[in-house]
Amino acid sequence: MKRYLFLSNILFISLLLLMNLDLSWAWTSPDCTIADSSLLSNISYYIPFCSLAPGLHIFASCSNVNDLAQSLAKLPRRLEALCLQGTVPILLADAFGHFPTLQLLRLQLGTVKVTSRAFQGLYNLKYLFFEHPTPCCLNLFLPPDALEPLKFLNSLSLQSYCLNSSHNIQLPISLRHLTLKHSCLTELQELQGLFPSLFPGSTLTENSSLPSSFLEVLDLSANPQLSQVAVRSLDGLQLHSLRLDGIPLNTSELIGSGLSHLHFLSLVGTGAEKVPGNIAAYFELRALDLGRNQIQSIGNEDLVGCHSLELLNLHANGLHSLSTHFLNALPQLQKLNLSMNKLGPTLVLPEGMVSSNLRVLDLSHNGLSALPCGAFSYLPRLQELRLSGNNISNLSSKTLEGIRRLETLDLSWNQIKVLKPGWLSGLPALTSLNLLGMNTEFFSGQVLQGPQNLSHLWLSSTDFLELFSLWPSTLLSLEVWSSVSVSFRIPRGEPFLLLENLTLQSRYVLLQSNTTIHFPSLRHLTLRGCNADIFSVKQPQRSFVQLPFLEQLHFWSDHDRSRSIQLSGMPRLRVLELGNLDSLSDSSPVNLEVLLKELPKLEVLVLSNLNVGNLSVSSFRNMGLLRLLVLNSEWALGLDSSLQELIPQMPQYVYFSNVTFTCQCESSWVGPWAVRAPNTFVYGLQKSICMANASDISKTPLLSFLSGHCQNDIELQSFLTSFILVLLLIIFALLGCPKWPWMRHLWTLFHAWCWKLGGWHHRHQYKYDVFISYCGQDREWVMTELIPALEQPLSAGEVLRLCIPERDFEIGQDRMDTMATSLKSSRTVLCVLSHQALSSLWCNLELRLATYFMVAKPGTRRLLLLFLEPIDRQELHSYHRLARWLQKEDYLHFPQRRMEWESFWKQLREKLRKSVQEREDQEL
């Protein structure tokens, strides 16, 4: 009886707390943008964010950061990328310890001092950037061991920072890219004092197990004070790429720098007047970038020693003549960029200009107007030819003969008016053709005959463009521009069977009378400037009737809006962007209910300048899959109180950009919803304004108006409070009934849920910290390597309590019972997995039991999987169940190289120590 009396007191206190709780279902973080990287292409035009590395998921970008701890407090813990801009003078220890999954960290914090343990806990960090937006030199202090916790750091960038007070910075051996731009470097020899671990001859590398050289890319661009290269300043350094862009160096000094290995050298904008053939010969360079220099002519003597080059970039040099044996001197050359030079008006090829290896040639923007017959016949392996931005007016099959392997041809923005059938007959391998900027009004698919697999096509005309029949059936993407109209004169029954991407930029899209064009495979449709009647239900002849596989529609129109737009026949549409559909001639609001009613799978909705008017619950019916909602440039937007019905199903991300609301108390629910609970991230409300009427110019902040003029909407809170009160009273009555023993099981589940929610884990409940599961074939490795490593004392003197079946199971006991009891008494289960272990019945049984205990009491136990060799996770029993309960960091891969073992053991012990420490803190 005392137990139930105690329980009633607990429930009563919970009820009192609940009645004082301001219930809400969304959250916001001022000056921060939080999003999913998979949605970036849909919000980048409207919402500012920093550049990211590919493959990342959840990211946050914050500005005006002054109090770092306060700014980070409201960010989700499972971020993979974080960008911070503001003023933070010092980074304290464990500054980012709440973000263990962070892989990219970009900091623009002004003058900053980094403490030794500032990056503690960032074991997964791969990209670290210290940047300043202007090319000045701020002070940055990095202690020698600041980067020590970053065992997987791949790229380190320091831009507009001076490291004058920093010395002997230890770089992780995983580092591959190092950037120092706009720094205070005056001599390359300073790198030896800053990063001694880069150089094999330093004291640090002699007394450690570091490899002789681990860096691949060194970028020292934009350091104008770096005027000389001292002898042996890069002694022993081996690089794949070295970038010295914008530095007025004497590149010949690199020969005596001690640099022992180099593949790629970039000297963009250094003022060079000649090709540095001596440098190319000394290092046997494979790639040389000399863009934006002053190399106006190239003689035969300039190319001596360049025989190893595979890539040569001479972009924007004012080049007007080439060596008579230009390509003969470059037998290995595969990519040549001669764009933005002065090789026109007639392409004059040097005698004997022949290359059997050249794959890519760029002659864009050279003032070319005439190409001789067989101009490229000496390049039999050419695959990509770019002639954009010239004055070419005529092409024939003889001009392009001899390059039958050509796959990409760019003829955009020339003076081409007429193309005759058969001009592509000598290009059977062509897959991509760019004809944007043509001055033609008629284009027939017949002129595209010749290529067998033409997949990507770009077309344009100044005013009108009519497209006639005989189109290649292999087209996958088509982009057409015309300022007035695009007219499809294609007979019935000739569909674009394989077309997946279609972009039309024109005011009108016209069809031949009584003709419908079918796009059965279309996935992505973009319409820019098209009249909205293209989707009008009142049009007798619609351009797009059935698009069964369409997934993305981007529709921008700056013309009169049709009065009845309806998007039908698109059952798989996931992304919808509608922009600029409002016009002064028709100010009536768009009916979203009609517009969206047949789009049940919509995940992303972007509305810009649409004149939405008032948003209500009827606008979003049957849209339970919506993840992202963006409202941009809306005027007098109202949020109806009926939207509260959708609060539990609100999209994960809601963005308001340049939106002016209507000052009305009917939207009073928006304030509490937008700032407190974690189901939806809301951006833009903090800075939004509202107006009372059309003549109101007061620019009243929306949230200030709602808090100052509107009473708190307590209807929802009162309903939920009374509902939960009745529910708790019913539960209390049922728990007091001794005739229903099954209620004890419900109470046990509720108790486990409460423990998971509160994070209560008491160490004294468990006999062991770690249970180690392994098979007999892996026994020797476990006993000689794993156990000695785990039994070493931790940093605070603690020792992990290990359960090893072979050692701790008593003789004579039933192994099945002992194993189940030991697993139940262990806080963490470490499964050592190999192909032999996956074939072991005992190992599979232990894994199943560990999974069962973890699911039965969520949050009270942990399961770690240690892979001794590469294994596909799909081979694990109950893989899909494990995928739901295990986090990314619960999968451990043992390194194959012995030099990495010590750091792995340290990381594993630290992971287990933090788990023990958290439990002891909770207990206290």
Side-chain angles (χ1 to χ4, degrees):
M1 187 65 186
K2 292 182 179 180
R3 176 184 178 186
Y4 294 110
L5 181 61
F6 173 74
L7 178 61
S8 64
N9 292 332
I10 294 296
L11 294 178
F12 180 72
I13 295 174
S14 301
L15 180 60
L16 291 179
L17 293 175
L18 180 64
M19 294 180 67
N20 290 281
L21 182 63
D22 191 2
L23 297 171
S24 54
W25 298 83
W27 71 291
T28 185
S29 182
D31 298 317
C32 286
T33 302
I34 299 172
D36 188 331
S37 60
S38 63
L39 307 175
L40 284 182
S41 60
N42 304 298
I43 67 172
S44 58
Y45 181 80
Y46 311 97
I47 308 298
F49 60 89
C50 63
S51 58
L52 303 175
L56 301 184
H57 192 53
I58 305 298
F59 80 95
S61 180
C62 300
S63 59
N64 302 321
V65 177
N66 296 313
D67 187 330
L68 183 62
Q70 183 178 356
S71 299
L72 299 181
K74 289 189 175 182
L75 299 180
R77 297 297 181 254
R78 297 190 63 79
L79 287 177
E80 293 186 356
L82 175 61
C83 304
L84 301 175
Q85 182 272 328
T87 303
V88 177
I90 185 170
L91 291 182
L92 299 176
D94 204 27
F96 307 98
H98 295 297
F99 306 99
T101 59
L102 205 62
Q103 297 185 42
L104 182 147
L105 181 60
R106 190 181 297 273
L107 303 175
Q108 296 183 9
L109 302 178
T111 300
V112 61
K113 177 181 179 181
V114 181
T115 59
S116 295
R117 301 186 62 189
F119 302 119
Q120 190 70 29
L122 298 182
Y123 302 114
N124 295 304
L125 196 70
K126 297 180 180 179
Y127 309 93
L128 177 59
F129 301 87
F130 287 91
E131 299 174 339
H132 190 69
T134 57
C136 61
C137 291
L138 302 179
N139 290 324
L140 172 65
F141 175 74
L142 281 176
D145 58 346
L147 306 178
E148 184 178 356
L150 309 180
K151 302 300 183 183
F152 297 99
L153 189 66
N154 180 272
S155 180
L156 174 63
S157 177
L158 307 171
Q159 300 191 34
S160 298
Y161 278 100
C162 286
L163 297 172
N164 294 335
S165 301
S166 303
H167 302 282
N168 299 326
I169 301 173
Q170 302 174 21
L171 297 177
I173 61 174
S174 59
L175 192 70
R176 296 296 178 265
H177 301 261
L178 176 61
T179 300
L180 291 171
K181 289 185 177 181
H182 297 290
S183 67
C184 299
L185 285 177
T186 58
E187 296 183 1
L188 288 180
Q189 196 166 4
E190 297 176 28
L191 294 175
Q192 297 186 14
L194 289 173
F195 311 109
S197 57
L198 287 178
F199 301 91
S202 67
T203 305
L204 180 62
T205 55
E206 288 179 353
N207 299 330
S208 67
S209 59
L210 292 176
S212 60
S213 181
F214 50 86
L215 198 66
E216 293 181 358
V217 180
L218 178 60
D219 189 348
L220 301 176
S221 303
N223 286 289
Q225 301 178 21
L226 189 60
S227 57
Q228 60 180 351
V229 181
V231 177
R232 316 303 297 178
S233 57
L234 300 177
D235 193 19
L237 187 62
Q238 298 182 14
L239 295 174
H240 178 276
S241 303
L242 176 62
R243 304 191 70 95
L244 299 173
D245 302 341
I247 302 177
L249 277 175
N250 181 2
T251 54
S252 298
E253 295 178 353
L254 288 174
I255 296 177
S257 65
L259 184 63
S260 60
H261 185 79
L262 187 64
H263 283 321
F264 172 72
L265 177 62
S266 179
L267 299 172
V268 176
T270 60
E273 298 180 355
K274 290 187 176 181
V275 177
N278 56 339
I279 299 294
Y282 181 80
F283 292 107
E284 295 186 348
L285 291 178
R286 296 181 183 176
L288 180 60
D289 191 345
L290 296 170
R292 293 191 288 109
N293 281 293
Q294 301 175 20
I295 306 174
Q296 299 183 6
S297 63
I298 298 178
N300 293 332
E301 68 281 358
D302 296 328
L303 300 176
V304 176
C306 297
H307 59 276
S308 61
L309 284 180
E310 298 176 4
L311 181 151
L312 178 60
N313 184 5
L314 293 168
H315 167 79
N317 270 272
L319 187 65
H320 56 76
S321 63
L322 299 174
S323 164
T324 55
H325 299 287
F326 183 77
L327 288 181
N328 287 340
L330 304 169
Q332 303 299 323
L333 195 65
Q334 298 183 21
K335 296 183 179 180
L336 175 61
N337 187 350
L338 296 173
S339 62
M340 297 291 291
N341 284 292
K342 300 178 181 179
L343 297 177
T346 302
L347 181 62
V348 179
L349 302 178
E351 294 182 8
M353 182 175 178
V354 61
S355 173
S356 60
N357 288 311
L358 194 68
R359 266 66 168 181
V360 179
L361 175 61
D362 192 343
L363 292 169
S364 302
H365 301 280
N366 268 281
L368 299 174
S369 58
L371 297 177
C373 294
F376 308 102
S377 58
Y378 296 105
L379 307 175
R381 295 193 178 183
L382 195 65
Q383 298 177 358
E384 182 176 327
L385 176 60
R386 300 195 175 274
L387 297 168
S388 175
N390 287 292
N391 298 314
I392 302 171
S393 58
N394 187 28
L395 284 174
S396 66
S397 60
K398 293 183 178 180
T399 305
L400 301 174
E401 66 182 3
I403 46 175
R404 298 183 61 83
R405 298 188 182 184
L406 194 70
E407 298 178 0
T408 300
L409 177 59
D410 186 354
L411 292 168
S412 59
W413 310 112
N414 280 281
Q415 303 297 320
I416 301 174
K417 295 182 179 180
V418 178
L419 290 173
K420 298 181 180 180
W423 74 287
L424 294 176
S425 60
L427 305 178
L430 193 68
T431 60
S432 178
L433 175 62
N434 191 340
L435 296 174
L436 289 178
M438 286 180 56
N439 294 319
T440 182
E441 295 184 1
F442 305 95
F443 194 91
S444 172
Q446 188 175 1
V447 303
L448 300 176
Q449 302 302 311
Q452 300 176 2
N453 293 291
L454 187 62
S455 304
H456 309 285
L457 177 64
W458 292 262
L459 295 174
S460 70
S461 178
T462 53
D463 296 317
F464 304 91
L465 183 60
E466 295 189 20
L467 305 178
F468 291 88
S469 58
L470 298 178
W471 284 81
S473 60
T474 56
L475 276 183
L476 298 178
S477 68
L478 173 64
E479 184 166 340
V480 182
W481 296 8
S482 179
S483 58
V484 179
S485 69
V486 174
S487 180
F488 287 88
R489 305 295 183 185
I490 299 176
R492 181 191 300 270
E494 189 178 326
F496 292 86
L497 288 176
L498 303 179
L499 195 68
E500 297 181 354
N501 298 280
L502 175 62
T503 299
L504 298 176
Q505 181 169 313
S506 179
R507 179 164 185 170
Y508 299 102
V509 178
L510 306 176
L511 299 181
Q512 188 175 344
S513 179
N514 300 322
T515 300
T516 300
I517 302 179
H518 297 281
F519 300 94
S521 303
L522 199 63
R523 260 70 171 178
H524 194 148
L525 175 61
T526 301
L527 303 171
R528 303 193 192 105
C530 298
N531 191 291
D533 286 337
I534 196 172
F535 288 116
S536 174
V537 294
K538 297 184 179 181
Q539 282 288 99
Q541 190 175 7
R542 300 176 63 188
S543 304
F544 304 99
V545 180
Q546 292 293 328
L547 302 173
F549 293 99
L550 189 67
E551 297 180 355
Q552 298 191 34
L553 171 60
H554 304 271
F555 183 21
W556 281 79
S557 175
D558 53 2
H559 304 289
D560 294 342
R561 175 177 48 81
S562 175
R563 287 166 293 280
S564 53
I565 302 175
Q566 182 174 344
L567 302 177
S568 59
M570 308 174 188
R572 299 191 182 187
L573 193 68
R574 297 187 301 104
V575 177
L576 174 62
E577 180 182 15
L578 299 177
N580 210 22
L581 293 180
D582 188 23
S583 64
L584 297 177
S585 61
D586 185 4
S587 59
S588 59
V590 172
N591 191 336
L592 286 182
E593 184 177 3
V594 175
L595 187 67
L596 306 176
K597 70 177 183 178
E598 297 187 26
L599 306 176
K601 295 189 177 182
L602 203 62
E603 298 179 11
V604 175
L605 177 61
V606 181
L607 306 175
S608 180
N609 196 22
L610 194 61
N611 190 21
V612 172
N614 194 53
L615 288 179
S616 63
V617 66
S618 61
S619 305
F620 300 100
R621 292 193 185 279
N622 303 321
M623 298 187 66
L625 299 179
L626 196 64
R627 297 177 55 202
L628 169 67
L629 174 63
V630 178
L631 294 171
N632 175 68
S633 298
E634 292 295 332
W635 182 261
L637 179 66
L639 300 176
D640 193 273
S641 59
S642 63
L643 285 172
Q644 296 178 84
E645 300 177 21
L646 293 178
I647 283 179
Q649 290 84 35
M650 278 288 186
Q652 188 176 0
Y653 304 98
V654 177
Y655 299 92
F656 298 97
S657 174
N658 193 27
V659 174
T660 300
F661 292 86
T662 301
C663 294
Q664 58 181 10
C665 288
E666 192 176 5
S667 304
S668 60
W669 62 275
V670 172
W673 167 72
V675 297
R676 289 185 178 88
N679 288 359
T680 299
F681 172 72
V682 184
Y683 172 86
L685 280 183
Q686 295 281 351
K687 299 179 180 179
S688 296
I689 62 174
C690 68
M691 63 178 190
N693 50 58
S695 60
D696 184 10
I697 58 173
S698 59
K699 295 184 178 180
T700 304
L702 173 65
L703 297 183
S704 297
F705 171 83
L706 296 179
S707 60
H709 296 79
C710 306
Q711 295 182 354
N712 292 329
D713 186 2
I714 62 173
E715 295 180 1
L716 177 62
Q717 181 175 348
S718 301
F719 166 74
L720 292 177
T721 302
S722 58
F723 172 78
I724 295 177
L725 172 62
V726 174
L727 182 62
L728 291 178
L729 291 177
I730 294 175
I731 293 176
F732 174 69
L734 292 176
L735 289 175
C737 182
K739 295 183 179 180
W740 291 348
W742 54 270
M743 290 302 300
R744 174 184 293 182
H745 300 289
L746 291 180
W747 169 249
T748 302
L749 292 176
F750 176 74
H751 184 261
W753 176 79
C754 291
W755 275 50
K756 178 187 178 183
L757 187 65
W760 302 328
H761 314 297
H762 300 290
R763 190 183 186 190
H764 66 262
Q765 289 190 341
Y766 301 100
K767 182 178 180 181
Y768 303 107
D769 290 318
V770 185
F771 180 95
I772 301 179
S773 171
Y774 58 93
C775 68
Q777 291 86 340
D778 300 326
R779 175 186 176 278
E780 181 178 356
W781 180 86
V782 170
M783 293 298 178
T784 58
E785 301 290 347
L786 178 62
I787 295 177
L790 295 183
E791 288 185 336
Q792 292 183 14
L794 303 176
S795 58
E798 312 100 322
V799 177
L800 292 174
R801 300 170 300 180
L802 305 181
C803 179
I804 306 167
E806 185 174 340
R807 182 188 67 186
D808 298 319
F809 285 8
E810 297 183 6
I811 300 176
Q813 290 184 335
D814 182 77
R815 180 172 181 179
M816 180 74 71
D817 295 339
T818 306
M819 177 180 61
T821 303
S822 300
L823 284 169
K824 191 174 182 180
S825 304
S826 300
R827 175 62 182 86
T828 301
V829 177
L830 178 63
C831 291
V832 179
L833 296 180
S834 62
H835 285 97
Q836 294 88 348
L838 293 181
S839 303
S840 171
L841 296 178
W842 285 108
C843 287
N844 281 299
L845 180 60
E846 290 169 348
L847 180 58
R848 288 177 180 271
L849 286 176
T851 306
Y852 167 77
F853 287 129
M854 180 178 62
V855 175
K857 289 189 175 182
T860 62
R861 288 177 172 82
R862 190 173 186 181
L863 174 61
L864 300 178
L865 304 182
L866 174 57
F867 294 90
L868 288 183
E869 53 189 339
I871 297 176
D872 188 353
R873 297 180 186 176
Q874 298 283 352
E875 298 182 24
L876 298 177
H877 293 287
S878 304
Y879 164 73
H880 297 288
R881 178 183 295 180
L882 288 173
R884 293 179 54 191
W885 291 94
L886 295 187
Q887 301 176 357
K888 183 178 180 180
E889 57 268 20
D890 295 333
Y891 296 92
L892 307 174
H893 296 273
F894 187 72
Q896 301 301 314
R897 294 188 296 180
R898 195 175 187 89
M899 66 176 62
E900 300 178 3
W901 287 10
E902 185 59 35
S903 61
F904 177 81
W905 296 134
K906 185 176 180 181
Q907 180 182 351
L908 180 58
R909 288 194 300 269
E910 181 67 18
K911 186 185 295 289
L912 296 172
R913 184 198 66 81
K914 289 184 68 175
S915 178
V916 173
Q917 186 64 42
E918 289 174 1
R919 295 194 300 274
E920 291 178 347
D921 292 342
Q922 295 285 356
E923 186 176 355
L924 293 175

